[in-house]
Amino acid sequence: MDKARFFEWIERHRRVLYAVSIPFILGLMGLVYLLVYYTGGVRFVYSHTMYIPILLSGFIFLIKGGLAAGILAGVLLGPIMPLNTLTGEMQETINWVYRLVFFTGIGLFSGAAGDSARAFIHHFRWLSQHDPVTSLPNRTALFASLKNRLGSKQPSGEPGLSLFLLEIENALELSSSFGFGITDYALPVVARRMKSGKIALEVYQTGSRQLGLVVPCNHTNHQSPQGTAAAIMEECQEAIQYGRIPVHLDVRLGSVPLPREETDPRVLLQQAETALAEAEQQEASHRDYDAVMIQGISESVELLGELKRAVLEGQIDMHYQPKVDLRSGRVYGVEALMRWNHPEKGSIPPGRFIPRAEQSTLIQLITDFALERSLAQLAAWHKTGMDLTMAVNISTRNLLQPGFTAMVLSTLEHLGISGEYLELEVTEGALMMDMERTLDELTRLAEANLVISIDDFGTGYSSLQYLHQMPVSLLKIDQSFIRRLPKDRSAGHILDAAVSLAHNLGIKTIAEGVEDRRVFDYLQTTGCDMAQGFIIAPAMDAPGFVRWYQSCQGVWKPGDPAKQPQT
Ligand code: C2E
Ligand code: CA
Ligand code: CA
């Protein structure tokens, strides 16, 4: 047993210890009295044995116990104890008074030592269960509470409990503006709101920007995890007051219901973390744990781990999907789409690894690769007289990455390609992330004549206001609208509105995901400029694309046989 556990054990059994110690110490004193008496009185050395019960008493019963034991011992070996039991000679008063004072001093001293040891134990125990900065109970305390709850069966009819993890999403941003103290300040404020709003029964600090809440929550009645999450979000919506500055916290939640049967609390915390990670990945405010999550998350984490090697070992390749002019049918360009040929898992679609890579710095590697590979391909095609443009998908992180624009421009220069042949596809969401900085980067790219296009237009913020501020020259209208044409009239209206708005701003439009003839024909009746989709051709590897291009001689007609999409 280590020291901490020993002291804890003492603390826990204090009542029993008291009950046993009193007769024990008194008995010990009696024994010392008898020992001194029968060995001839206080003139011999045995009287010193009395220190043992005095020290014990001080240590167990603290200052009062030490004092009492010191006085009692002083009396026992004092006026009632002869100096010499054989001759019956009694002690001089000064002799026993001096000893009594000395014993009392020892009692006082051991009591004070016991007192500070206990204060230390208390502090030590507090520290092991709390965060020293915020004073909130910590992860160890959460585990102890969960262990308790999971062991005891809850009476039926009582709502179940859930463990919610609440993470401050903008902690980094706040720390860089206000210093690290801001999260230490914010967490207890949120914790108090959770308690005073009667949302959480218990609140713990589980990370530097994370709280763990034990919340009454039932999957079957109105206190659903979603309802509880909404209540928590609402409490957090009100800004916290940091000095005189109101500070807004962006929070995200992950939750897991507490099972009735005994479960390892660490497993539960991990499940809640998984739900939180899932929420983050999907940019949702809350997710409740579901067993399939762990599979998805571990798969994408696994793939992410292999991605760098895959790039270096040539498992990643670019495929090219043609884009045609709706009026003339001219194949004017291609979109480069990434393909991963995994040696064991086979072909992995980009949707399974790119969204995860976009949340990490690996997206830089991915984009660098996509740009270099597809521009080198474009340079090769230009040499053979294929007059094409190349569109490459990029993410927000790329635009915010220092040196990105310079890298793009130097790659173009190195390959001798002029700017207008490169199109960068950016999603609406990406543009909105940090408008000021992305605007700067996009402006520099547009000044070099690059084509900036908005990908998946209509699915994101659909905010048309920002369009005129951005150096955008192409709108890619998302497949979800195109697929509903021509029957769905609202999709038709959206297309018309997007096309006329774009044209008024001098921006061209392309319809993506054109899969059949009726849609293609319909598009020709609208003002839309270009089309891309399986009816024309799916993405093909470079030699496959060249064969396709040559077979139609660079001009595609609706009657031409489309290749089947490769899966
Ligand atoms: P996206 O940019 O919207 O690309 C279009 C996706 O739609 C491609 O899927 C393409 O194969 C598919 N598609 C094209 N025509 C049709 C059609 O007629 N019908 C249907 N149903 N689908 C069609 P893919 O290749 O699986 O790519 C998925 C997403 O992955 C892309 O969506 C893009 O966001 C991302 N992505 C692909 N390659 C890259 C890359 O190199 N870098 C980055 N950052 N993202 C990439
Ligand atoms: Ca795209
Ligand atoms: Ca798209």
Side-chain angles (χ1 to χ4, degrees):
M1 203 191 295
D2 63 25
K3 270 182 231 152
R5 291 233 186 115
F6 171 70
F7 284 123
E8 251 178 46
W9 184 88
I10 292 188
E11 280 295 297
R12 250 185 289 131
H13 297 90
R14 198 198 296 222
R15 274 169 181 265
V16 183
L17 200 69
Y18 279 4
V20 175
S21 302
I22 294 175
F24 178 75
I25 291 170
L26 288 178
L28 204 61
M29 284 185 158
L31 282 175
V32 176
Y33 174 84
L34 292 175
L35 175 77
V36 175
Y37 191 88
Y38 286 109
T39 51
V42 281
R43 72 200 161 106
F44 294 110
V45 73
Y46 301 103
S47 56
H48 292 288
T49 321
M50 198 52 108
Y51 294 140
I52 297 172
I54 300 173
L55 287 172
L56 261 180
S57 179
F59 202 71
I60 297 172
F61 298 102
L62 309 184
I63 292 185
K64 279 187 197 153
L67 275 178
I71 293 168
L72 183 61
V75 173
L76 282 177
L77 300 189
I80 55 171
M81 176 64 76
L83 183 67
N84 186 337
T85 37
L86 288 179
T87 60
E89 184 192 347
M90 293 310 285
Q91 307 175 49
E92 280 183 32
T93 311
I94 180 68
N95 199 27
W96 68 261
V97 169
Y98 184 81
R99 193 182 303 107
L100 185 138
V101 171
F102 194 71
F103 278 175
T104 313
I106 293 274
L108 196 72
F109 174 75
S110 71
D115 217 16
S116 33
R118 192 158 298 169
F120 177 75
I121 296 164
H122 273 293
H123 185 64
F124 184 77
R125 265 205 349 188
W126 187 90
L127 269 185
S128 71
Q129 305 264 326
H130 292 79
D131 182 281
V133 181
T134 61
S135 299
L136 289 169
N138 63 11
R139 192 182 277 242
T140 314
L142 170 68
F143 286 161
S145 159
L146 288 180
K147 212 166 181 168
N148 250 342
R149 289 184 182 279
L150 296 170
S152 63
K153 272 213 164 1
Q154 287 147 27
S156 58
E158 208 181 271
L161 296 173
S162 274
L163 170 65
F164 269 76
L165 288 184
L166 179 157
E167 186 144 289
I168 303 183
E169 278 301 304
N170 56 344
L172 209 61
E173 195 189 343
L174 294 179
S175 306
S176 55
S177 317
F178 301 104
F180 281 105
I182 179 79
T183 37
D184 298 333
Y185 176 80
L187 286 175
V189 174
V190 177
R192 276 197 296 278
R193 284 192 196 167
M194 293 301 128
K195 285 216 148 167
S196 63
K198 303 236 173 345
I199 294 176
L201 297 177
E202 294 164 8
V203 183
Y204 300 87
Q205 183 173 347
T206 44
S208 63
R209 53 181 187 141
Q210 191 188 73
L211 293 177
L213 318 171
V214 177
V215 179
C217 192
N218 203 323
H219 281 246
T220 52
N221 64 14
H222 63 280
Q223 268 183 320
S224 66
Q226 289 70 26
T228 310
I232 296 175
M233 296 303 272
E234 201 181 315
E235 284 289 339
C236 295
Q237 221 119 66
E238 195 188 323
I240 63 164
Q241 209 59 34
Y242 189 56
R244 290 162 74 190
I245 309 164
V247 175
H248 171 76
L249 304 178
D250 278 334
V251 304
R252 213 187 283 281
L253 303 166
S255 63
V256 61
L258 299 195
R260 303 265 161 168
E261 64 277 5
E262 225 174 311
T263 314
D264 184 349
R266 278 171 305 188
V267 172
L268 282 174
L269 189 68
Q270 195 197 344
Q271 292 176 340
E273 294 268 14
T274 305
L276 190 63
E278 181 86 359
E280 194 174 334
Q281 197 166 346
Q282 297 173 1
E283 295 193 10
S285 54
H286 165 243
R287 282 285 175 270
D288 198 41
Y289 177 74
D290 182 330
V292 291
M293 280 179 185
I294 199 95
Q295 280 173 328
I297 289 205
S298 55
E299 192 210 50
S300 66
V301 168
E302 202 181 302
L303 286 180
L304 202 65
E306 294 179 45
L307 193 53
K308 189 168 180 183
R309 215 184 51 202
V311 172
L312 299 177
E313 289 181 359
Q315 295 170 25
I316 308 275
D317 195 12
M318 299 310 290
H319 279 206
Y320 304 94
Q321 185 176 31
K323 298 173 166 188
V324 303
D325 186 289
L326 263 170
R327 317 263 163 259
S328 64
R330 191 175 86 83
V331 182
Y332 76 95
V334 292
E335 175 176 2
L337 293 159
M338 194 164 277
R339 297 290 175 263
W340 181 352
N341 293 310
H342 195 282
E344 285 131 38
K345 299 188 174 103
S347 161
I348 304 173
R352 270 175 56 204
F353 62 93
I354 288 186
R356 187 69 186 78
E358 278 177 339
Q359 291 168 358
S360 78
T361 47
L362 272 176
I363 192 61
Q364 299 174 5
L365 181 79
I366 292 285
T367 308
D368 289 0
F369 174 84
L371 276 165
E372 274 167 31
R373 174 62 64 91
S374 49
L375 286 176
Q377 184 62 68
L378 185 70
W381 285 338
H382 281 180
K383 281 206 180 103
T384 65
M386 291 163 75
D387 183 22
L388 295 165
T389 63
M390 179 64 68
V392 179
N393 292 284
I394 60 165
S395 80
T396 345
R397 257 185 191 262
N398 295 132
L399 286 176
L400 300 176
Q401 156 196 345
F404 175 73
T405 306
M407 186 276 285
V408 174
L409 299 183
S410 83
T411 310
L412 282 171
E413 197 184 321
H414 173 70
L415 291 165
I417 300 174
S418 59
E420 66 265 30
Y421 286 100
L422 177 60
E423 177 187 328
L424 296 179
E425 298 194 4
V426 196
T427 59
E428 282 177 278
L431 287 181
M432 305 298 288
M433 291 282 268
D434 186 343
M435 266 185 78
E436 237 167 77
R437 275 172 68 196
T438 38
L439 184 62
D440 278 356
E441 293 300 309
L442 290 178
T443 309
R444 284 179 57 204
L445 290 163
E447 277 166 3
N449 285 336
L450 268 74
V451 177
I452 308 295
S453 74
I454 299 199
D455 203 354
D456 304 341
F457 183 78
T459 56
Y461 293 77
S462 297
S463 156
L464 303 173
Q465 299 160 353
Y466 66 87
L467 262 184
H468 73 278
Q469 302 171 18
M470 293 278 177
V472 168
S473 34
L474 189 63
L475 274 197
K476 292 195 78 178
I477 299 161
D478 191 61
Q479 325 192 351
S480 54
F481 299 107
I482 305 302
R483 234 177 280 143
R484 281 152 49 194
L485 296 171
K487 271 198 204 136
D488 187 332
R489 291 190 57 193
S490 64
H493 290 318
I494 291 171
L495 178 82
D496 290 341
V499 169
S500 73
L501 171 92
H503 286 176
N504 283 336
L505 294 169
I507 296 173
K508 289 199 164 182
T509 52
I510 174 165
E512 58 176 352
V514 185
E515 289 184 352
D516 62 54
R517 180 69 188 267
R518 277 176 314 146
V519 180
F520 191 87
D521 290 346
Y522 174 82
L523 285 169
Q524 285 187 314
T525 67
T526 68
C528 188
D529 303 283
M530 280 118 33
Q532 177 184 357
F534 291 162
I535 187 182
I536 301 157
M540 297 162 276
D541 61 11
F545 173 75
V546 172
R547 279 195 299 277
W548 177 88
Y549 185 82
Q550 284 168 350
S551 72
C552 67
Q553 292 175 328
V555 182
W556 184 81
K557 295 265 163 9
D560 287 357
K563 269 185 80 155
Q564 284 310 300
Q566 293 165 339
T567 47

